[in-house]
Amino acid sequence: QVQLAESGGGLVQAGGSLRLSCAASGRTVSTYYIGWLRQAPGKAREFVAVVSWRGGTTLTADAVKGRFTISRDSAQNAVYLQMNSLKPEDTAVYYCAAARALTSNTRVYDYWGQGTQVTVSS
């Protein structure tokens, strides 16, 4: 059982930065991999990045590699997504989600937060 809550979304200009936060809790959270997925209007949900709760191993989508960085602070029960050099195509609802593997397959993620809107203006 994992509970997730995202925050930090907003409206930014292209080239700007945002830092998303995911508060994770639950007795089994340490066994999960916490990822960020996003969904733009009219598009399927897309994998962004994932981190192992215990070891900190990461996997990042090519589309955001070099611009986005995922990290976790187990002491704070939080996962972060630092987004730099934002582009209009990054506009989407960003979800924090938990899976049982370090995977880019969005269908493997079992628990999801409510999502936070990120809008990048041109």
Side-chain angles (χ1 to χ4, degrees):
Q1 185 177 354
V2 178
Q3 296 82 43
L4 304 168
E6 308 95 331
S7 62
L11 174 64
V12 297
Q13 192 174 11
S17 298
L18 277 177
R19 185 187 187 225
L20 305 184
S21 298
C22 173
S25 62
R27 61 185 179 181
T28 62
V29 67
S30 63
T31 69
Y32 277 81
Y33 300 77
I34 309 300
W36 288 97
L37 304 307
R38 66 186 183 184
Q39 186 169 28
K43 299 179 66 177
R45 287 189 178 181
E46 175 188 17
F47 168 79
V48 176
V50 62
V51 62
S52 64
W53 187 256
R54 291 189 177 185
T57 304
T58 63
L59 178 68
T60 306
D62 289 342
V64 303
K65 193 171 296 182
R67 298 187 298 119
F68 293 8
T69 302
I70 189 171
S71 62
R72 96 273 186 263
D73 186 342
S74 57
Q76 297 294 323
N77 295 324
V79 175
Y80 306 100
L81 185 68
Q82 179 64 48
M83 305 186 294
N84 299 324
S85 301
L86 283 161
K87 304 174 180 179
E89 51 263 46
D90 294 319
T91 295
V93 176
Y94 284 71
Y95 298 90
C96 181
R100 301 304 299 266
L102 196 75
T103 180
S104 62
N105 186 349
T106 62
R107 297 184 180 182
V108 179
Y109 288 81
D110 296 319
Y111 299 95
W112 296 74
Q114 292 296 309
T116 185
Q117 177 71 47
V118 172
T119 303
V120 184
S121 62
S122 60

